Amino acid sequence: MPASGKHRRNRSSRLTRGLLVAGTGGAALVLPVIAATSASAAQPAAAKAAVTAPAPAKKAAKTYTVVAGDTLSKIAAKQSVSGGWKKLYNDNRRNIGADPSLIHPGLKLTIGAKAAPTADRTADTARADRSEKRAVPAAGKSAPAARPAAAKTYADNLDGWIRESLDIMARHGIPGSYEGIHRNVMRESSGNPLAINNWDINAVNGVPSKGLLQVIKPTFDAYHVPGTANDQYDPVANIVAACNYAADRYGSIDNVNGPY
């Protein structure tokens, strides 16, 4: 059945409206005029969103002060350091030094960031840098053989014995301070490494207390630290064994203020 209305022209598509026909002859050049506008309009909004997006918050670094009995492993565990004691050591190496076991009470460690060097470490680093520059060989010359590191020396007196003992204790994780050791040595032997007690109950039982910190033979044998002399009268071996015993029983030689 024929339609009763007039035929209507189809409405031009969006794409067709977006084109212009140039020329009046038989050939025509079709030019797009709208296509790119919608895409370009979206770019400023995306850029604005990228600029205004907040940066993720960084965890603030903090400072920890070493106390007697601390080790890097204990501190890393207690402070939940990601990467453990190695990360803690690497962040604080300039202030700890070459041996991670040699930390002392009062040393400040940075948790969560690289530590700035202390004044003495800065001076040490500067001296090391100067030495390294002097050691660089001229072109065509071979580098001199490296010299072995000189062994640390200690005075052969009470001060030297205590300092050597503290270094050994640090390597073995035995707590104690110079003051704590010195105080107990002066009470027990007045600083005489050959002191012996021949009158108390230990002497009656045949095991007299000997040396700077007056330890008996069974205690010395049980708490003797490898690498020290196996001799009760040896001042360093006596101090280290006594401090090892005091750490086991009292937490530290620093906590001993009378007969132990």
Side-chain angles (χ1 to χ4, degrees):
M1 178 176 178
S4 58
K6 295 181 179 179
H7 291 289
R8 293 178 293 178
R9 294 183 61 184
N10 289 333
R11 186 174 297 173
S12 60
S13 68
R14 183 176 301 174
L15 178 61
T16 304
R17 291 200 305 274
L19 304 176
L20 289 179
V21 179
T24 59
L29 177 63
V30 181
L31 302 176
V33 295
I34 300 177
T37 58
S38 60
S40 60
Q43 290 178 357
K48 184 176 181 181
V51 171
T52 57
K58 292 184 177 179
K59 191 174 182 179
K62 60 182 179 179
T63 300
Y64 177 84
T65 303
V66 175
V67 298
D70 269 345
T71 64
L72 290 183
S73 295
K74 290 181 182 178
I75 297 170
K78 184 164 48 177
Q79 299 296 321
S80 301
V81 176
S82 178
W85 73 266
K86 291 183 179 180
K87 169 67 174 170
L88 184 61
Y89 174 58
N90 287 334
D91 284 349
N92 294 273
R93 182 167 185 163
R94 288 182 293 184
N95 295 329
I96 294 174
D99 191 340
S101 66
L102 295 182
I103 60 174
H104 57 80
L107 176 67
K108 295 187 181 300
L109 303 177
T110 298
I111 309 293
K114 287 281 187 182
T118 57
D120 57 337
R121 287 293 179 186
T122 303
D124 290 344
T125 302
R127 286 194 292 273
D129 289 343
R130 290 195 293 271
S131 298
E132 185 176 353
K133 290 177 181 177
R134 288 196 298 270
V136 175
K141 293 184 179 181
S142 59
R147 295 181 180 179
K152 190 173 182 179
T153 58
Y154 305 88
D156 189 21
N157 55 28
L158 181 57
D159 177 73
W161 300 331
I162 294 176
R163 293 186 186 281
E164 183 176 358
S165 297
L166 285 169
D167 284 348
I168 294 171
M169 289 162 59
R171 290 196 293 272
H172 289 271
I174 302 171
S177 67
Y178 186 102
E179 188 279 330
I181 294 172
H182 187 272
R183 168 168 43 82
N184 282 284
V185 164
M186 297 310 294
R187 186 189 66 253
E188 294 292 334
S189 67
S190 299
N192 176 12
L194 300 179
I196 182 171
N197 185 320
N198 286 316
W199 55 267
D200 67 2
I201 188 63
N202 291 316
V204 171
N205 292 333
V207 283
S209 304
K210 297 179 180 179
L212 288 175
L213 283 171
Q214 292 291 282
V215 292
I216 60 176
K217 188 67 163 60
T219 300
F220 179 83
D221 290 343
Y223 291 93
H224 173 257
V225 173
T228 61
N230 195 16
D231 177 3
Q232 276 179 271
Y233 286 118
D234 180 86
V236 173
N238 188 283
I239 290 174
V240 175
C243 288
N244 196 19
Y245 162 73
D248 188 35
R249 184 163 183 181
Y250 303 102
S252 170
I253 190 69
D254 295 346
N255 298 329
V256 177
N257 295 291
Y260 64 111

